[in-house]
Amino acid sequence: IPIVLWMYNLPQFAHDPVMQSLHKFVSPIYPLLAHVATEANIVGLFFACHVLTRVLTFYALILIMMASGLAEARLWVGAMILVFTGIYGFSPVGGDGMLIEYFTHTELAQAFALISASLIMRRRIVAAALASAVAFDINIFVGVWMLAPLGIASLLQLGRESGKAKVLRE
């Protein structure tokens, strides 16, 4: 909230080293929100970001289920179970901090990482790399975590491509 409301610019915090370091925070999400945030709308703004993050996370989980080849009926039943249990705090997924009760940039980055994982599963490596880049920009640590699956998928894709080229030459 101090970043989003630009509190580090207030005169009473001019000599506070912690407050003065806030504008150097690396995630672009909070400075972007600062352009529309006011003290009057901060609660609604963070709630809207929280809902957006949840929607993106569930969308990503649906994409993963679809890439896994789950039947359509089971897909939607599973998605509805996730949505209702996630909303009401009964999700086993939320036990590890993935679906917490408030908005943070890490949860938003995780949604993009999950979208990237679904794209990797569909062998859409460039699109997966772009989704991982968004996750990286939002939260560097989440983006770094995506290097391993992207690297492995890229190496596998290169192996397939070189195998296809070898067959075409013969």
Coordinates of all heavy atoms in Angstrom, one line a residue, residues 9-88:
N9 N 6.8 9.7 -1.0 CA 6.9 11.1 -1.4 C 6.4 12.1 -0.3 O 6.6 13.3 -0.4 CB 6.1 11.4 -2.7 CG 6.8 10.7 -3.9 OD1 8.0 10.6 -3.9 ND2 6.1 10.4 -4.9
L10 N 5.8 11.5 0.7 CA 5.2 12.4 1.8 C 6.4 13.0 2.6 O 7.4 12.3 2.9 CB 4.3 11.6 2.7 CG 3.0 11.1 2.0 CD1 2.2 10.2 3.0 CD2 2.1 12.3 1.5
P11 N 6.3 14.3 3.0 CA 7.3 14.9 3.8 C 7.7 14.2 5.1 O 8.9 14.2 5.4 CB 6.8 16.3 4.1 CG 5.5 16.5 3.4 CD 5.1 15.1 2.8
Q12 N 6.8 13.6 5.8 CA 7.1 12.9 7.0 C 8.0 11.7 6.8 O 8.6 11.2 7.8 CB 5.9 12.6 7.8 CG 4.9 11.6 7.2 CD 3.8 12.3 6.4 OE1 3.9 13.4 5.8 NE2 2.6 11.8 6.5
F13 N 8.1 11.2 5.6 CA 8.9 10.0 5.3 C 10.2 10.4 4.5 O 10.9 9.5 4.0 CB 8.1 9.0 4.6 CG 7.0 8.4 5.3 CD1 5.7 8.6 4.8 CD2 7.1 7.8 6.5 CE1 4.6 8.2 5.5 CE2 6.0 7.3 7.2 CZ 4.7 7.5 6.7
A14 N 10.5 11.6 4.4 CA 11.6 12.1 3.6 C 13.0 11.5 4.1 O 13.9 11.3 3.3 CB 11.7 13.6 3.6
H15 N 13.1 11.2 5.4 CA 14.4 10.7 5.9 C 14.3 9.3 6.4 O 15.1 8.8 7.1 CB 14.9 11.6 7.0 CG 15.1 13.0 6.6 ND1 16.1 13.4 5.7 CD2 14.4 14.2 6.8 CE1 16.0 14.6 5.4 NE2 15.0 15.2 6.1
D16 N 13.2 8.6 6.1 CA 13.0 7.2 6.5 C 13.6 6.3 5.4 O 13.1 6.2 4.3 CB 11.5 6.9 6.6 CG 11.2 5.6 7.2 OD1 12.0 4.6 6.9 OD2 10.2 5.4 7.9
P17 N 14.7 5.6 5.7 CA 15.4 4.8 4.7 C 14.5 3.6 4.2 O 14.6 3.3 3.0 CB 16.6 4.2 5.4 CG 16.4 4.5 6.9 CD 15.4 5.5 7.0
V18 N 13.6 3.1 5.0 CA 12.8 2.0 4.5 C 11.8 2.5 3.5 O 11.6 2.0 2.4 CB 12.1 1.3 5.7 CG1 11.0 0.3 5.1 CG2 13.1 0.6 6.6
M19 N 11.1 3.6 3.9 CA 10.1 4.2 3.0 C 10.8 4.7 1.7 O 10.2 4.6 0.6 CB 9.4 5.4 3.7 CG 8.4 4.9 4.7 SD 7.1 3.9 4.1 CE 6.0 5.2 3.5
Q20 N 12.0 5.3 1.8 CA 12.7 5.8 0.6 C 13.1 4.7 -0.3 O 13.4 4.9 -1.5 CB 13.8 6.7 1.0 CG 13.3 8.0 1.6 CD 12.3 8.7 0.8 OE1 12.5 8.9 -0.4 NE2 11.2 9.1 1.4
S21 N 13.2 3.5 0.2 CA 13.7 2.3 -0.7 C 12.5 1.7 -1.4 O 12.7 0.9 -2.4 CB 14.3 1.3 0.2 OG 13.4 0.6 1.0
L22 N 11.3 2.0 -1.1 CA 10.1 1.4 -1.7 C 10.0 1.7 -3.2 O 9.5 0.8 -3.9 CB 8.8 1.8 -1.0 CG 8.7 1.4 0.5 CD1 7.4 1.9 1.0 CD2 8.7 -0.2 0.5
H23 N 10.4 2.9 -3.6 CA 10.2 3.1 -5.1 C 11.2 2.3 -5.9 O 11.1 2.3 -7.1 CB 10.3 4.6 -5.3 CG 11.7 5.2 -5.2 ND1 12.2 5.5 -4.0 CD2 12.7 5.5 -6.1 CE1 13.5 5.9 -4.1 NE2 13.7 5.9 -5.4
K24 N 12.1 1.6 -5.3 CA 13.1 0.8 -6.0 C 12.6 -0.7 -6.1 O 13.3 -1.5 -6.5 CB 14.4 0.9 -5.3 CG 15.0 2.3 -5.4 CD 16.3 2.4 -4.8 CE 16.8 3.8 -5.1 NZ 17.5 4.5 -4.1
F25 N 11.4 -0.9 -5.6 CA 10.8 -2.3 -5.6 C 10.8 -2.7 -7.0 O 10.4 -2.0 -7.9 CB 9.4 -2.2 -5.0 CG 8.9 -3.6 -4.6 CD1 9.4 -4.3 -3.6 CD2 7.8 -4.1 -5.4 CE1 8.9 -5.5 -3.3 CE2 7.3 -5.3 -5.1 CZ 7.8 -6.0 -4.0
V26 N 11.1 -4.0 -7.3 CA 11.4 -4.4 -8.7 C 10.1 -4.9 -9.4 O 10.1 -4.9 -10.6 CB 12.4 -5.6 -8.7 CG1 13.8 -5.1 -8.3 CG2 11.9 -6.8 -7.8
S27 N 9.0 -5.2 -8.8 CA 7.8 -5.7 -9.5 C 7.1 -4.4 -10.1 O 6.9 -3.5 -9.4 CB 6.9 -6.4 -8.6 OG 5.7 -6.8 -9.3
P28 N 6.8 -4.5 -11.3 CA 6.1 -3.3 -12.0 C 4.6 -3.2 -11.6 O 4.0 -2.2 -11.9 CB 6.3 -3.6 -13.4 CG 6.3 -5.1 -13.6 CD 7.0 -5.6 -12.3
I29 N 4.1 -4.2 -11.0 CA 2.6 -4.2 -10.7 C 2.2 -3.0 -9.8 O 1.3 -2.3 -10.1 CB 2.2 -5.6 -10.0 CG1 2.4 -6.7 -11.0 CG2 0.8 -5.5 -9.6 CD1 1.7 -6.6 -12.3
Y30 N 2.9 -2.9 -8.7 CA 2.5 -1.8 -7.7 C 2.7 -0.4 -8.3 O 1.8 0.4 -8.1 CB 3.2 -2.0 -6.4 CG 2.9 -3.4 -5.8 CD1 3.9 -4.3 -5.6 CD2 1.6 -3.8 -5.5 CE1 3.6 -5.6 -5.1 CE2 1.3 -5.0 -5.0 CZ 2.3 -5.9 -4.8 OH 2.0 -7.2 -4.3
P31 N 3.8 -0.1 -8.9 CA 3.9 1.3 -9.5 C 2.8 1.5 -10.6 O 2.3 2.6 -10.8 CB 5.3 1.3 -10.1 CG 6.0 0.3 -9.3 CD 5.1 -0.8 -9.0
L32 N 2.4 0.4 -11.3 CA 1.3 0.5 -12.3 C 0.0 0.8 -11.6 O -0.8 1.7 -12.1 CB 1.2 -0.7 -13.2 CG 2.2 -0.9 -14.2 CD1 2.1 -2.3 -14.9 CD2 2.2 0.2 -15.3
L33 N -0.3 0.1 -10.5 CA -1.5 0.3 -9.8 C -1.5 1.7 -9.2 O -2.6 2.3 -9.0 CB -1.6 -0.7 -8.7 CG -1.9 -2.1 -9.1 CD1 -1.9 -3.1 -7.9 CD2 -3.2 -2.2 -9.9
A34 N -0.4 2.3 -8.9 CA -0.3 3.6 -8.3 C -0.9 4.7 -9.2 O -1.4 5.7 -8.6 CB 1.2 4.0 -8.0
H35 N -1.0 4.5 -10.5 CA -1.6 5.5 -11.4 C -3.1 5.6 -11.3 O -3.6 6.5 -11.7 CB -1.1 5.2 -12.8 CG 0.3 5.4 -13.0 ND1 0.9 6.6 -13.0 CD2 1.3 4.5 -13.2 CE1 2.2 6.5 -13.2 NE2 2.5 5.2 -13.3
V36 N -3.7 4.5 -10.7 CA -5.2 4.6 -10.5 C -5.6 4.5 -9.1 O -6.8 4.7 -8.8 CB -5.8 3.4 -11.3 CG1 -5.6 3.6 -12.8 CG2 -5.4 2.1 -10.9
A37 N -4.7 4.3 -8.2 CA -5.1 4.1 -6.8 C -5.2 5.4 -6.0 O -4.5 6.4 -6.3 CB -4.0 3.3 -6.1
T38 N -6.2 5.4 -5.2 CA -6.4 6.5 -4.2 C -6.7 5.9 -2.9 O -7.0 4.7 -2.8 CB -7.6 7.4 -4.6 OG1 -8.8 6.7 -4.6 CG2 -7.4 8.0 -6.0
E39 N -6.7 6.7 -1.8 CA -7.0 6.1 -0.5 C -8.5 5.7 -0.5 O -8.8 4.7 0.2 CB -6.8 7.2 0.6 CG -5.3 7.4 0.9 CD -5.1 8.3 2.1 OE1 -5.9 8.2 3.1 OE2 -4.2 9.1 2.0
A40 N -9.3 6.3 -1.3 CA -10.7 5.9 -1.4 C -11.0 4.6 -2.1 O -11.9 3.8 -1.7 CB -11.5 7.0 -2.0
N41 N -10.1 4.2 -3.1 CA -10.4 3.0 -3.9 C -9.4 1.9 -3.6 O -9.5 0.9 -4.3 CB -10.5 3.4 -5.4 CG -9.1 3.7 -6.0 OD1 -8.1 3.6 -5.4 ND2 -9.2 4.0 -7.3
I42 N -8.5 2.0 -2.7 CA -7.4 1.1 -2.6 C -7.9 -0.3 -2.2 O -7.5 -1.3 -2.7 CB -6.4 1.5 -1.5 CG1 -5.1 0.6 -1.6 CG2 -6.9 1.6 -0.1 CD1 -4.2 1.0 -2.6
V43 N -9.0 -0.4 -1.4 CA -9.5 -1.7 -1.0 C -10.1 -2.4 -2.2 O -9.9 -3.6 -2.5 CB -10.5 -1.6 0.2 CG1 -11.2 -2.9 0.5 CG2 -9.8 -1.1 1.4
G44 N -11.0 -1.7 -2.9 CA -11.6 -2.2 -4.1 C -10.6 -2.6 -5.2 O -10.8 -3.6 -5.9
L45 N -9.6 -1.8 -5.3 CA -8.5 -2.0 -6.3 C -7.8 -3.3 -6.0 O -7.6 -4.2 -6.9 CB -7.6 -0.9 -6.4 CG -6.4 -1.0 -7.4 CD1 -7.0 -1.0 -8.8 CD2 -5.5 0.2 -7.2
F46 N -7.4 -3.5 -4.8 CA -6.7 -4.7 -4.4 C -7.6 -5.9 -4.5 O -7.2 -7.0 -4.9 CB -6.1 -4.6 -3.0 CG -4.7 -4.0 -3.1 CD1 -4.4 -2.7 -3.4 CD2 -3.6 -4.8 -2.8 CE1 -3.2 -2.2 -3.4 CE2 -2.3 -4.3 -2.9 CZ -2.1 -3.0 -3.2
F47 N -8.9 -5.8 -4.2 CA -9.8 -6.9 -4.3 C -10.0 -7.2 -5.8 O -10.1 -8.4 -6.1 CB -11.2 -6.5 -3.7 CG -12.2 -7.6 -3.8 CD1 -12.0 -8.8 -3.0 CD2 -13.2 -7.6 -4.7 CE1 -12.9 -9.8 -3.1 CE2 -14.1 -8.6 -4.8 CZ -14.0 -9.7 -4.0
A48 N -10.1 -6.3 -6.6 CA -10.2 -6.5 -8.1 C -9.0 -7.3 -8.6 O -9.1 -8.2 -9.4 CB -10.5 -5.2 -8.8
C49 N -7.8 -6.9 -8.1 CA -6.6 -7.6 -8.5 C -6.6 -9.0 -8.0 O -6.2 -9.9 -8.7 CB -5.4 -6.8 -8.0 SG -5.1 -5.3 -8.9
H50 N -7.1 -9.2 -6.8 CA -7.2 -10.5 -6.2 C -8.1 -11.4 -7.0 O -7.8 -12.6 -7.3 CB -7.7 -10.4 -4.8 CG -8.0 -11.7 -4.1 ND1 -7.0 -12.6 -3.8 CD2 -9.1 -12.3 -3.7 CE1 -7.5 -13.7 -3.2 NE2 -8.8 -13.5 -3.1
V51 N -9.3 -10.9 -7.4 CA -10.2 -11.6 -8.2 C -9.6 -12.0 -9.6 O -9.7 -13.1 -10.1 CB -11.6 -10.9 -8.4 CG1 -12.5 -11.5 -9.4 CG2 -12.3 -10.8 -7.0
L52 N -9.0 -11.0 -10.2 CA -8.3 -11.2 -11.5 C -7.3 -12.3 -11.4 O -7.2 -13.2 -12.2 CB -7.7 -9.9 -12.0 CG -6.8 -10.1 -13.2 CD1 -7.6 -10.5 -14.5 CD2 -6.0 -8.8 -13.5
T53 N -6.5 -12.3 -10.3 CA -5.5 -13.3 -10.1 C -6.1 -14.7 -9.9 O -5.7 -15.7 -10.5 CB -4.7 -13.0 -8.8 OG1 -4.0 -11.7 -9.1 CG2 -3.6 -14.0 -8.6
R54 N -7.2 -14.8 -9.2 CA -7.9 -16.1 -9.0 C -8.4 -16.6 -10.4 O -8.3 -17.7 -10.7 CB -9.1 -15.9 -8.1 CG -8.7 -16.0 -6.6 CD -8.4 -17.4 -6.2 NE -7.8 -17.4 -4.9 CZ -8.5 -17.7 -3.8 NH1 -9.7 -18.0 -3.8 NH2 -7.8 -17.7 -2.6
V55 N -9.1 -15.7 -11.1 CA -9.6 -16.1 -12.4 C -8.5 -16.6 -13.3 O -8.6 -17.6 -14.0 CB -10.4 -14.9 -13.1 CG1 -10.7 -15.2 -14.5 CG2 -11.6 -14.6 -12.3
L56 N -7.4 -15.9 -13.4 CA -6.2 -16.3 -14.2 C -5.7 -17.6 -13.7 O -5.3 -18.5 -14.5 CB -5.1 -15.3 -14.2 CG -5.3 -14.1 -15.1 CD1 -4.2 -13.0 -14.9 CD2 -5.3 -14.5 -16.6
T57 N -5.6 -17.8 -12.4 CA -5.1 -19.1 -11.9 C -6.0 -20.2 -12.3 O -5.6 -21.3 -12.7 CB -5.0 -19.0 -10.3 OG1 -4.0 -18.0 -10.0 CG2 -4.5 -20.3 -9.8
F58 N -7.3 -20.1 -12.1 CA -8.3 -21.1 -12.4 C -8.3 -21.4 -13.9 O -8.4 -22.5 -14.4 CB -9.7 -20.8 -11.9 CG -9.8 -21.0 -10.4 CD1 -10.3 -19.9 -9.7 CD2 -9.3 -22.1 -9.8 CE1 -10.4 -20.0 -8.3 CE2 -9.4 -22.2 -8.4 CZ -10.0 -21.2 -7.7
Y59 N -8.2 -20.3 -14.7 CA -8.1 -20.5 -16.2 C -6.8 -21.3 -16.5 O -6.9 -22.2 -17.4 CB -8.0 -19.1 -16.8 CG -7.8 -19.1 -18.3 CD1 -8.7 -19.6 -19.2 CD2 -6.6 -18.7 -18.9 CE1 -8.5 -19.6 -20.5 CE2 -6.3 -18.7 -20.2 CZ -7.3 -19.2 -21.1 OH -7.1 -19.2 -22.4
A60 N -5.7 -21.0 -15.9 CA -4.5 -21.7 -16.1 C -4.6 -23.2 -15.7 O -4.2 -24.1 -16.5 CB -3.3 -21.1 -15.4
L61 N -5.3 -23.5 -14.6 CA -5.5 -24.8 -14.2 C -6.4 -25.6 -15.2 O -6.2 -26.8 -15.5 CB -6.1 -24.9 -12.8 CG -5.1 -24.4 -11.7 CD1 -5.8 -24.3 -10.3 CD2 -3.9 -25.3 -11.6
I62 N -7.4 -24.9 -15.7 CA -8.3 -25.5 -16.8 C -7.4 -25.8 -18.0 O -7.6 -26.9 -18.6 CB -9.5 -24.6 -17.1 CG1 -10.4 -24.6 -15.9 CG2 -10.2 -25.0 -18.4 CD1 -11.5 -23.5 -16.0
L63 N -6.6 -24.9 -18.4 CA -5.7 -25.1 -19.5 C -4.8 -26.3 -19.3 O -4.6 -27.1 -20.2 CB -4.8 -23.9 -19.8 CG -5.5 -22.7 -20.4 CD1 -4.6 -21.5 -20.6 CD2 -6.2 -23.0 -21.7
I64 N -4.3 -26.5 -18.1 CA -3.5 -27.7 -17.8 C -4.3 -28.9 -17.8 O -3.8 -29.9 -18.4 CB -2.8 -27.5 -16.4 CG1 -1.7 -26.4 -16.5 CG2 -2.2 -28.8 -15.9 CD1 -1.1 -26.0 -15.2
M65 N -5.5 -28.9 -17.3 CA -6.4 -30.1 -17.4 C -6.7 -30.4 -18.9 O -6.7 -31.6 -19.2 CB -7.7 -29.8 -16.6 CG -7.5 -29.9 -15.1 SD -9.0 -29.9 -14.2 CE -9.5 -28.2 -14.3
M66 N -7.0 -29.4 -19.7 CA -7.2 -29.7 -21.1 C -6.0 -30.3 -21.8 O -6.1 -31.2 -22.6 CB -7.7 -28.4 -21.8 CG -9.1 -28.0 -21.3 SD -9.6 -26.4 -22.0 CE -9.5 -26.5 -23.7
A67 N -4.8 -29.7 -21.5 CA -3.6 -30.2 -22.1 C -3.3 -31.6 -21.6 O -2.6 -32.4 -22.3 CB -2.4 -29.3 -21.8
S68 N -3.8 -32.0 -20.5 CA -3.6 -33.4 -19.9 C -4.6 -34.4 -20.6 O -4.4 -35.6 -20.4 CB -3.9 -33.4 -18.4 OG -2.9 -32.6 -17.8
G69 N -5.5 -33.9 -21.3 CA -6.5 -34.7 -22.0 C -7.7 -35.2 -21.2 O -8.3 -36.2 -21.5
L70 N -8.0 -34.5 -20.2 CA -9.2 -34.8 -19.4 C -10.4 -34.6 -20.2 O -10.5 -33.7 -21.0 CB -9.3 -34.0 -18.1 CG -8.2 -34.3 -17.1 CD1 -8.4 -33.3 -15.9 CD2 -8.3 -35.7 -16.6
A71 N -11.4 -35.5 -20.0 CA -12.7 -35.4 -20.7 C -13.3 -34.1 -20.4 O -13.2 -33.6 -19.3 CB -13.6 -36.6 -20.4
E72 N -14.1 -33.5 -21.3 CA -14.8 -32.2 -21.1 C -15.6 -32.2 -19.8 O -15.5 -31.3 -19.1 CB -15.6 -31.9 -22.3 CG -15.9 -30.5 -22.5 CD -14.7 -29.6 -22.7 OE1 -13.7 -30.0 -23.3 OE2 -14.7 -28.4 -22.3
A73 N -16.4 -33.2 -19.6 CA -17.3 -33.2 -18.4 C -16.5 -33.2 -17.1 O -16.7 -32.4 -16.2 CB -18.2 -34.4 -18.4
R74 N -15.4 -34.0 -17.1 CA -14.6 -34.1 -15.9 C -13.8 -32.8 -15.7 O -13.6 -32.3 -14.6 CB -13.6 -35.2 -16.0 CG -14.3 -36.6 -15.8 CD -13.3 -37.7 -15.7 NE -12.5 -37.8 -16.9 CZ -11.6 -38.6 -17.2 NH1 -11.2 -39.4 -16.2 NH2 -11.0 -38.7 -18.3
L75 N -13.5 -32.1 -16.8 CA -12.8 -30.9 -16.8 C -13.6 -29.8 -16.0 O -13.1 -29.2 -15.1 CB -12.4 -30.4 -18.2 CG -12.0 -28.9 -18.3 CD1 -10.6 -28.8 -17.7 CD2 -12.0 -28.5 -19.8
W76 N -14.8 -29.7 -16.4 CA -15.7 -28.6 -15.8 C -16.1 -29.0 -14.4 O -16.2 -28.1 -13.5 CB -16.9 -28.3 -16.7 CG -16.4 -27.6 -17.9 CD1 -16.4 -28.2 -19.2 CD2 -15.9 -26.3 -18.0 NE1 -15.8 -27.2 -20.0 CE2 -15.5 -26.1 -19.3 CE3 -15.7 -25.3 -17.1 CZ2 -14.9 -24.9 -19.8 CZ3 -15.1 -24.1 -17.5 CH2 -14.8 -23.9 -18.8
V77 N -16.3 -30.2 -14.1 CA -16.6 -30.6 -12.7 C -15.4 -30.3 -11.8 O -15.5 -29.7 -10.8 CB -16.9 -32.1 -12.6 CG1 -17.0 -32.6 -11.2 CG2 -18.3 -32.4 -13.3
G78 N -14.2 -30.7 -12.3 CA -13.0 -30.4 -11.6 C -12.8 -28.9 -11.4 O -12.4 -28.4 -10.3
A79 N -13.0 -28.1 -12.4 CA -12.9 -26.7 -12.4 C -13.8 -26.0 -11.4 O -13.5 -25.2 -10.6 CB -13.1 -26.0 -13.7
M80 N -15.1 -26.5 -11.4 CA -16.1 -26.0 -10.4 C -15.7 -26.3 -9.0 O -15.9 -25.5 -8.1 CB -17.5 -26.5 -10.8 CG -18.0 -26.0 -12.1 SD -17.7 -24.3 -12.4 CE -18.8 -23.5 -11.2
I81 N -15.2 -27.5 -8.8 CA -14.7 -27.9 -7.4 C -13.6 -27.0 -7.0 O -13.6 -26.5 -5.9 CB -14.3 -29.4 -7.4 CG1 -15.5 -30.3 -7.5 CG2 -13.5 -29.7 -6.1 CD1 -15.1 -31.8 -7.7
L82 N -12.6 -26.7 -7.9 CA -11.5 -25.8 -7.6 C -12.0 -24.4 -7.3 O -11.6 -23.8 -6.3 CB -10.5 -25.8 -8.7 CG -9.6 -26.9 -8.8 CD1 -8.7 -26.8 -10.1 CD2 -8.7 -27.0 -7.7
V83 N -13.0 -23.9 -8.1 CA -13.5 -22.6 -7.9 C -14.2 -22.4 -6.6 O -13.9 -21.6 -5.8 CB -14.4 -22.2 -9.1 CG1 -15.2 -20.9 -8.7 CG2 -13.6 -22.0 -10.4
F84 N -15.1 -23.3 -6.3 CA -15.9 -23.2 -5.1 C -15.1 -23.5 -3.8 O -15.2 -22.8 -2.8 CB -17.1 -24.1 -5.1 CG -18.2 -23.6 -6.0 CD1 -18.6 -24.3 -7.2 CD2 -18.7 -22.3 -5.8 CE1 -19.5 -23.8 -8.0 CE2 -19.7 -21.8 -6.7 CZ -20.1 -22.6 -7.8
T85 N -14.2 -24.5 -3.9 CA -13.4 -24.7 -2.7 C -12.3 -23.6 -2.5 O -12.0 -23.3 -1.4 CB -12.7 -26.1 -2.7 OG1 -11.9 -26.2 -3.9 CG2 -13.7 -27.2 -2.7
G86 N -11.8 -23.1 -3.6 CA -10.9 -22.0 -3.5 C -11.5 -20.7 -3.0 O -10.8 -20.0 -2.2
I87 N -12.7 -20.4 -3.4 CA -13.4 -19.2 -2.9 C -13.6 -19.3 -1.4 O -13.5 -18.4 -0.7 CB -14.7 -19.0 -3.7 CG1 -14.3 -18.5 -5.1 CG2 -15.5 -17.9 -3.0 CD1 -15.5 -18.4 -6.1
Y88 N -14.1 -20.4 -1.0 CA -14.5 -20.6 0.4 C -13.4 -21.1 1.3 O -13.6 -21.4 2.5 CB -15.7 -21.5 0.5 CG -16.9 -20.9 -0.1 CD1 -17.3 -21.3 -1.4 CD2 -17.5 -19.8 0.4 CE1 -18.4 -20.7 -2.0 CE2 -18.6 -19.1 -0.2 CZ -19.0 -19.6 -1.4 OH -20.1 -19.0 -2.0

